[in-house]
Amino acid sequence: MTVNSGSPGWYLRRLSRMGPREVAGRVGDAVRRRRWRSARPDCPSVTGARFTAVLPAGTIAAVSPDAAKRLIAEADRLMCGHAEYFGVVRDDLADPDWWCDPKTGRRAPWGYAFNVPYRNEDAVGDIKQIWELSRHQYLTVLAAAYAITGDERYAERVAAHLRSWWAANPPLRGVHWISGIELGIRLLSWVWIRRLLDGWPGVAGLFEGNPVALNQIWHHQRWLAAFPSRGSSANNHVIAEAAGQFAAACAFGWFPSSARWRAGALRSLERQLRRNTFDSGLNRELATEYHGLVLELGLAAVAEADAARVPVPASIRLVLLRMTDALAAVVDSRLRPPRQGDADDGHGLVVDGTGTDRWASLLATGDAVFGRLAWWPEVTGTDVRTPLLAALIRPYAKIAAAPVVTRPPSRPGHFADAGLTVLRGPGEIWCRCDGGPHGFLSIAAHAHADALSVEVRHDGVDVLADPGTFCYHGQPEWRRYFRSTLGHNTLQVDGGDQSVSGGPFLWTRHARSRVLTADTSDTSDGGTARWCAEHDGYQRSVHRRRVELATANQELTVVDEVRGPRRDVRLAFHLGPAIAADLAGNRAVLTWTRDGEGRSAVLDLPGQLSWRAHRGETDPPLGWYSAGFGRKEPATTLVGTGFADGTALLGEFTTVLRFHG
């Protein structure tokens, strides 16, 4: 079934997931939007504005030559007009059309922002393609290149593009005034552009001495104060809104409302960071890339607070500390975190070139700000962002009001509140088991129907892979596939998903999971790590899964059990794109190469099921892997088909994965 996210049925389903307070707030928003259509006040006059939130002396000198080289190479590509966003290669960045979607060739319609049908790709184009460029994170890269080289070409290009954007996007006109997360991230980019261009003779005339810039900054903050994400939508979006507004109110605190905006944004940031984060430190959306986004936004906000000497609640730093420790705990041997839930390549602050490892960068920043623990993995790469943030953020140990916190004495393997468990074995075997909540808030917008799924890597290579996300809007059959139960390494019953979708960012019924066993104790002496969980998503039946990692023989055993009446089942195992598979009966021989060396494994599949290999199929989609948003490639998926009968000893299926060498 195709779900139209703008249809009356969708609105009714969406309304059903809201509480009375959220409904009342949204009614107030609707009234305000109608009133704002005809009432657009001018920015208050500003005199004597000065930008003081500059980088400390010597900061740029701390950037490593390798990181600077990558950054400058990226900046030069941008200067030539070249970039790639979500799988679409662009060569028009020398003079971009801010309203054009390069993927479909469509231009978004002009008009009052809240009347633009941005969910309708036929009318607007791919909205993420349009929005991404206007986050202005490519301009922060150019500004960073100026800060490192002093080459005014970079600064002049930044200035030209900002003036072009401001002229083409007056307040409340067009697609770039629709979504608060876009406004928040854009404000954060502008703060860093101003900071990184400090020293360029034209920077004051571009920002604090420019009435057009002041008008844009003021209207962005007025918008964010009026239309925060609410209730069931208060996920990573509200963090971006609060972080962007807080950063701007600190660095650009030139307006009569700046103190009020700053205080309101800080209250929101403190409350929402706590609400969006489990006590264990993992993000409640259980979508790893959003853990990274929220952590980046939180660190950037604290940097602005410390630069402006604005006190922040101790709980903000504590949440960011726990998020950093949790990230260090879940990454594999190559510093790759789980591929769980939605991922859209969103970043909070970009000042690095292509090839910089995002997760290594966050851990490096965590080391500089919070101090690394003995069990943290080693970070060998370099980046530009870490020395910039570290120059502004006061180290946690030097914060007088910072609470004394007990950090994990050894690497955690089980996060009970998030239901995430990582089993580790020799040969760099890494196995993530999912027994947590379906998602965050009533709509669980970025969740996948992946209860009890496993994700297995060997030395950082995806062996049993989470296929990823690929898309959000405009391609409903692909959106359904990549978030479906069949699209994950778990068991499907009667051809349906464990949780019920009501739209591309809406789930109307959530499977409930519970972890029964999680033994992740040290297995270096040849022991066995164990995990067991179950979920109720199939109503009349219960799916229970047991996973054992025997380290002595590098063997992973997965046992699926269906309790209840006879049901049709499909058991899927998605192989990573680097894995070649030779399937004969119920045995698959897996081969791949890592660092020029051949590797192999054998996958013995349940004999009660009939097994087929699928690769790159489109009707319906099956056998795909998405390495990043907007990109997909064929990969092998093994699907076993049969039936389970929990009353006749036919409901248990055993899979064994044996690694060689």
Side-chain angles (χ1 to χ4, degrees), residues 272-293:
Q272 299 300 340
L273 273 174
R274 284 190 291 105
R275 290 188 69 238
N276 276 258
T277 309
F278 287 112
D279 288 344
S280 65
L282 290 177
N283 182 263
R284 285 184 182 271
E285 292 198 76
L286 294 173
T288 310
E289 280 212 3
Y290 288 108
H291 181 106
L293 173 65

Side-chain angles (χ1 to χ4, degrees), residues 8-24 26 230-234 275 438-445 447 483 499-512:
W10 177 85
Y11 282 110
L12 288 174
R13 289 189 293 274
R14 184 66 182 84
L15 185 64
S16 73
R17 310 304 295 175
M18 302 180 193
R21 184 174 180 180
E22 180 179 354
V23 171
R26 289 178 180 268
R230 299 181 183 277
S232 55
S233 293
R275 290 188 69 238
H438 174 61
F440 182 48
L441 302 173
S442 62
I443 64 173
R483 67 205 288 255
S499 297
V500 177
S501 172
F505 298 99
L506 171 64
W507 296 91
T508 57
R509 182 172 61 78
H510 303 181
R512 294 176 299 176

Side-chain angles (χ1 to χ4, degrees), residues 183-220:
L183 276 74
I185 290 177
R186 193 156 54 239
L187 277 177
L188 187 59
S189 295
W190 292 353
V191 168
W192 274 91
I193 289 168
R194 174 60 184 86
R195 172 175 291 126
L196 291 165
L197 292 186
D198 197 64
W200 177 53
V203 70
L206 179 63
F207 279 96
E208 56 266 32
N210 182 0
V212 175
L214 294 172
N215 189 52
Q216 286 276 350
I217 293 168
W218 184 81
H219 273 284
H220 271 67

